[in-house]
């Protein structure tokens, strides 16, 4: 029950980790099935319709239900600790964000058991997502499931924006914030501006499908390209919503395990801001072939190529951080070091795709598939693995096994490059993406076989990581507060795992790399910025769970309002909304002042009166 009612950001982070990890396994299984289908020509392992469903659900699950929640897991577990805060700004809303994401994801995956999953691709391009080509309820699950899950992401982004702006420890100016916090700050701003665009598009598509509107149906006066504009105004910033936190993780890990301050901190901050800004300006490079015209194509080409400049600054700064450092190749650092060349390869092919005339040749080929997997998997997933191995002792109080960790790295890393490197050549040889099967004798056979073997290796790497979690779970939770002995930021100043109240006394920050500064000055702990006193904590609540269940019931009911007799679907939808609004009313009318932890109950090392 504690986990259903918790509003503690660390526990919510663990819930995000479990749910995101589960959906990562689901999306990974779908990827393995896709690769089994393509391992040889004219394979009939699955039929064409099932293949389209697998392809759609793999992309949707990995982006919305695995990658985003795993990032939110790290955000929840680490950001308040890194900025010296006792919690996030809105703990209740934080819990609501998790439950709406989770139940939205569950609703989307119910489609597998309710007549078929969506099959229009993860981008749900009109008119493939209209009634003509998607007549079942698969796309309805996509539309409504993502709207509910999107509420969680949006409120989570707002929550972290407010938390980082308002709740930093005394002395932590913006230019003293850790790099991971900076990237989460920019990511949260991108979420704030990008996700409403997706919500608008999904609402319009929902009206098209459920209520007979005509936003995107050309035969009825709608515009299919309008959907592409709306989707990619969200979709391109989404790439940076995913990759910027990975940049932050890599900055922390490389700096710690090189025993050096991050090279060019100020330039890294401004590069992060510039990447976030330019990320919004380039959505149309996904649409070069839709007939925007040479002027628009040229402008978006140039803007896209400009992103290489701040990204290059980051790459060189990581290399200069390692240069001359006393490098320790722990598992976390292996993932971080492996990230650098892998992401560079994804960036180089990104510049190739940014050239509009070249894009016409690469478009809808496996070259594009290879490019975005090098960015998303080679960038984001390697970054998440680095972050999980780095912060695991802080989150759970246990050190992951280094031997199993290195086995995870090498199998996943080699498998990744086997899977996707050859897909560049498949694309250049003319293999189109989104195809169910291909003919023999086209030269695709061997490269597809290599790609499938690589996918299995990635699967083995993931299994080794799960095995590591199980093995570690049986160890005592006795990790030191600073287990890597080179911790630089505030989270390493408190016990592992962090106590409920995080900091017994709010720390006083005197520099960038606040803890490292204290260690260099011969201090063993942070100087407190306040006397020891009672700590105010928020009360747990079951209302976020019930509010999300209400939205889940409403979505399911309205989806089937045309199919069920006697308006049962409409009544069910209204009932679900009543549950949600009743919970909102209870939350508004009930006075809840939380509770206090008294000084006698605070047990933390380094507490000073």
């Amino acid at each position: 029950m504690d986990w259903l009612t918790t509003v503690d950001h660390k526990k919510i982070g663990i819930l995000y980790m479990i749910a995101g990890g589960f959906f990562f396994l689901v999306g990974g299984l779908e990827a393995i099935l896709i690769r089994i289908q393509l391992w040889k020509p004219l394979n009939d392992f699955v039929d064409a319709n099932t293949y389209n469903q697998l392809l759609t659900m793999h992309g949707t699950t990995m982006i919305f239900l695995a990658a985003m929640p795993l990032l939110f897991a790290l955000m929840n577990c680490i950001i308040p600790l890194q900025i010296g805060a006792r919690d996030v700004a809105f703990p209740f809303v934080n819990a609501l964000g998790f439950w709406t994401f989770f139940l939205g994801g569950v609703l989307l995956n119910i489609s597998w058991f309710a007549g078929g999953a969506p099959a229009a691709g993860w981008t749900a391009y009109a008119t493939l997502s209209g009634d003509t080509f998607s007549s079942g309820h698969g796309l309805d699950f996509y539309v409504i499931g993502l709207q509910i899950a999107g509420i969680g992401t949006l409120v989570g982004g707002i929550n972290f924006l407010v938390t980082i702006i308002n709740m930093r420890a005394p002395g932590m100016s913006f230019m003293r914030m850790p790099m991971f916090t900076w990237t989460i700050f920019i990511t949260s701003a991108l979420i704030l501006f990008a996700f409403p665009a997706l919500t608008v598009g999904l609402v319009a598509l929902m009206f098209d499908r459920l209520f007979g509107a005509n936003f995107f149906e050309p035969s009825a006066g709608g515009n299919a390209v309008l959907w592409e504009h709306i989707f990619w105004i969200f979709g391109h910033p989404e790439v940076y919503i995913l990759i910027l936190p990975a940049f932050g993780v890599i900055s922390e890990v490389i700096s710690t395990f090189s025993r050096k301050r991050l090279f060019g901190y100020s330039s890294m901050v401004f590069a992060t801001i510039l990447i976030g800004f330019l990320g919004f300006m380039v959505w149309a490079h996904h649409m070069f072939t839709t007939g925007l015209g040479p002027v628009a194509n040229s402008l978006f080409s140039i803007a896209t190529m400009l992103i290489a400049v701040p990204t290059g600054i980051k790459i060189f700064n990581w290399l200069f951080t390692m240069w001359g450092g006393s490098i320790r190749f722990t598992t976390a650092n292996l993932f971080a070091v492996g990230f650098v060349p892998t992401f560079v390869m994804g960036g180089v092919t990104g510049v190739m795709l940014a050239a509009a005339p070249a894009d016409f040749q690469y478009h809808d080929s496996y070259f594009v598939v290879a490019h975005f997997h090098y960015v998303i998997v080679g960038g984001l997933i390697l970054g998440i693995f680095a972050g999980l191995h780095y912060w695991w002792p802080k989150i759970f109080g246990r050190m992951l096994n280094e031997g199993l960790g290195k086995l995870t790295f090498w199998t996943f890393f080699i498998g990744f490059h086997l899977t996707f490197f050859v897909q560049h050549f498949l694309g250049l040889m003319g293999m189109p993406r989104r195809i169910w099967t291909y003919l023999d004798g086209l030269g695709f056979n061997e490269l597809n076989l290599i790609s499938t073997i690589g996918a299995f290796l990635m699967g083995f790497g993931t299994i080794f990581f799960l095995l590591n979690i199980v093995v570690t779970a049986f160890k005592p939770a006795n990790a030191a507060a600073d287990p890597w002995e080179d911790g630089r930021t505030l989270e390493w100043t408190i016990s592992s795992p962090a106590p409920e109240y995080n900091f017994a006394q709010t720390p006083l920050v005197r520099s960038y790399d606040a803890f490292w500064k204290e260690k260099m000055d011969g201090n063993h702990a942070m100087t407190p910025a306040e006397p020891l006193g009672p700590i105010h904590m928020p009360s747990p609540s079951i209302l976020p769970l019930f509010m999300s269940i209400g939205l889940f019931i409403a979505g399911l009911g309205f989806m089937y309002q045309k199919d069920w007799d006697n308006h049962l679907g409409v009544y069910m939808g209204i009932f679900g909304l009543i549950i949600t609004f009743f919970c909102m009313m209870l939350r508004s009318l009930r006075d809840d002042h939380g509770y206090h932890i008294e000084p006698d109950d605070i047990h933390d090392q380094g507490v000073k009166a």
Side-chain angles (χ1 to χ4, degrees), residues 223-243:
N223 187 335
V225 178
L226 175 62
W227 169 261
E228 289 196 46
H229 278 292
I230 293 173
F231 186 86
W232 287 117
I233 285 173
F234 146 79
H236 199 75
E238 170 69 8
V239 175
Y240 298 98
I241 288 170
L242 296 175
I243 204 66

Side-chain angles (χ1 to χ4, degrees), residues 370-385:
H371 159 70
F372 70 71
H373 279 92
Y374 258 81
V375 173
I376 302 298
V377 183
L380 171 66
I381 300 301
L382 292 186
I384 286 176
F385 271 128

Side-chain angles (χ1 to χ4, degrees), residues 9 80 151 213 216 234 239 279 299 305 329 333 400 556:
H9 69 92
I151 293 171
F216 306 120
F234 146 79
V239 175
L299 290 174
M305 291 180 192
F329 284 104
N333 202 29
L400 283 172
L556 204 58

Side-chain angles (χ1 to χ4, degrees), residues 171-207:
M172 183 177 280
S173 63
F174 273 98
M175 293 310 287
R176 287 180 179 175
M177 285 199 314
M179 207 54 229
F180 181 60
T181 302
W182 253 113
T183 56
I184 295 303
F185 181 62
I186 300 299
T187 297
S188 300
L190 292 178
I191 288 173
L192 177 64
F193 292 109
F195 267 74
L198 176 66
T199 304
V200 167
L202 289 173
V203 169
L205 187 56
M206 181 181 72
F207 271 75

